[in-house]
Amino acid sequence: MHIGVPREIKVQEYRVGLTPSSVRDLAARGHRVSVESGAGAAIDFSDDAYRAAGAQVVATAAEVWAAELIVKVKEPQPVEYALLRPGQILFTYLHLAPDPRQATALLQSGCIAIAYETVTDTHGGLPLLAPMSAVAGRMAPQVGAYHLMKPQGGRGVLLCGVPGVAPARMVVLGSGVVGSHAAHVAAGLGADVTVLDRNVERLDLLDRELSGRVKTIIANAATVEQCVVEADLLIGAVLVPGAAAPKLVSRAMLRSMKRGAVIVDVAIDQGGCCETSRPTTHADPVFVVDGVVHYCVANIPGAVPRTSALALNNATLPFVAALADKGWRRALADDPHLRRGLNVCAGHLTHGAVAAALGQPLVAAEDLL
């Protein structure tokens, strides 16, 4: 199969869909891989490294998008919509629930769009979202601590405190991959950490992993409001696979928060879990509402693109190989977990949560294989 790897064009996005080592594996399986020139240059994956791995390095995006299977990191940008075509396989992060414009473009293109974030595993996890969630979770206390500094508009509170002065209060909404990684890092730094979730089993696991160094609380309307108001740093780590994130933090709650408190809304890819959140970029990452600093970068792992690209490829390569070896119909028929990644197929929405969020009709993936 002909596989294309475009250069990412989203603002300050330097990750790449396939690393040279992944290209080498695919080329060894007999596949033709075209990589757009400069696709990995920002993270020291040179064109020569791709050539040595067996790729054809091409000069233009149009040459890459001529491939049968496109492997990216972020969703296609508006200027890329016209490059999609019927029957073409697109394998990338999509996050369609809060993005009706992109969904419409994919539907109109007739392509086969498979989203990393809804591929599942035998344990009920999201194996292609997990590595980037781990990166984002570990980064969240770091960027939150930075923006808590007074010159950045924050309260002027040190995350870990000092002897005789209490540490910052960090509240995490959600104890999944993002939330648990954020809690581990923040606890290691010495913050006063509280994690809220509706799942008592996950809270119990986190409590045992951290030997009681974080407080765990069952999430309900009252506990969320109380903890949000008390927070110096709030991490939004809520995920409903494929669906828009629930708005747990209202504008009214925001008005009761401390002046200079910081929100890091990692759920922004799915619309954010705060009523006042809107997507930002690494170039302009924060804004202030009612005295509260909002960090809502939609591609947080893009700040550490080499680590992120390597971690992502570790997870995605087996699925890329399956799609290339078998074609999309057989690959999805053989693997129900990869089939859960199918969001758009030949003009139809095929993921229930996405269709519900967009108010569009659903067609079962099985009916289109």
Side-chain angles (χ1 to χ4, degrees), residues 124-353:
L126 303 171
L128 306 190
L129 186 62
M132 297 303 93
S133 295
V135 172
R138 291 183 177 213
M139 285 186 62
Q142 177 179 315
V143 297
Y146 176 76
H147 288 286
L148 271 173
M149 294 192 297
K150 195 64 177 178
Q152 307 308 317
R155 283 176 50 74
V157 176
L158 183 63
L159 194 65
C160 59
V162 294
V165 180
R169 291 184 176 181
M170 189 179 103
V171 173
V172 185
L173 300 179
S175 65
V177 177
V178 170
S180 61
H181 279 270
H184 275 79
V185 168
L189 291 171
D192 178 349
V193 183
T194 300
V195 181
L196 294 94
D197 200 297
R198 294 166 64 181
N199 188 323
V200 70
E201 293 179 357
R202 284 210 299 255
L203 293 178
D204 178 64
L205 176 62
L206 189 60
D207 179 74
R208 286 186 281 113
E209 287 177 344
L210 289 169
S211 302
R213 288 185 292 139
V214 302
K215 296 184 284 290
T216 58
I217 299 177
I218 286 292
N220 56 46
T223 56
V224 168
E225 181 172 3
Q226 179 182 353
C227 291
V228 165
V229 169
E230 294 174 349
D232 296 302
L233 171 58
L234 176 66
I235 309 294
V238 181
L239 174 68
V240 179
K247 302 297 185 187
L248 300 183
V249 181
S250 67
R251 181 68 180 268
M253 286 186 207
L254 194 79
R255 294 191 185 103
S256 299
M257 291 182 70
K258 302 170 183 176
R259 182 178 179 82
V262 174
I263 295 172
V264 178
D265 197 344
V266 185
I268 194 64
D269 271 340
Q270 296 294 126
C273 62
C274 301
E275 208 170 65
T276 47
S277 291
R278 57 176 172 79
T280 61
T281 67
H282 290 293
D284 187 15
V286 299
F287 59 92
V288 178
V289 178
D290 293 335
V292 176
V293 179
H294 292 57
Y295 179 99
C296 301
V297 174
N299 61 328
I300 292 175
V304 287
R306 187 176 175 91
T307 296
S308 296
L310 290 166
L312 181 61
N313 271 241
N314 289 342
T316 57
L317 182 58
F319 295 99
V320 175
L323 289 166
D325 290 349
K326 301 178 179 181
W328 70 270
R329 289 182 187 276
R330 184 179 160 201
L332 269 59
D334 288 350
D335 187 346
H337 300 295
L338 181 57
R339 192 160 66 242
R340 287 291 295 167
L342 187 65
N343 280 205
V344 177
C345 183
H348 303 284
L349 287 175
T350 55
H351 192 281

Side-chain angles (χ1 to χ4, degrees), residues 104-148:
T104 298
L106 295 180
L107 289 166
Q108 291 176 346
S109 75
C111 76
I112 313 303
I114 303 170
Y116 293 159
E117 71 273 10
T118 61
V119 174
T120 59
D121 62 22
T122 55
H123 308 293
L126 303 171
L128 306 190
L129 186 62
M132 297 303 93
S133 295
V135 172
R138 291 183 177 213
M139 285 186 62
Q142 177 179 315
V143 297
Y146 176 76
H147 288 286
L148 271 173

